[in-house]
Amino acid sequence: MDNLAELTGSIGSVGYGLAAIGPGIGVGIVWAAYIQATARQPESAGLTRTYAFLGFALSEALALIGFVVPFVFGL
């Protein structure tokens, strides 16, 4: 009974699934905040749209990093 549990298969796909949860929530929060800010102050939509796209891009970059890391390290 040396090995109580042995993992076989692609652990990288499980890792990516877990890594995609955080950025998915982050993107939802970014767009929810943009919609709420625009609903409260419609004339600031142009300024807040820039920040919304910046927040979206940074959150999505984390998902792409989470997708690439299992392939780089060969897990």
Side-chain angles (χ1 to χ4, degrees), residues 4-57:
L4 295 176
E6 183 178 334
L7 296 174
T8 59
S10 179
I11 304 301
S13 61
V14 174
Y16 175 65
L18 293 174
I21 293 172
I25 293 170
V27 167
I29 290 172
V30 165
W31 289 114
Y34 170 70
I35 291 170
Q36 186 175 17
T38 303
R40 288 177 181 255
Q41 201 76 336
E43 60 269 7
S44 70
L47 178 64
T48 55
R49 185 179 304 123
T50 304
Y51 294 126
F53 279 114
L54 184 62
F56 167 75

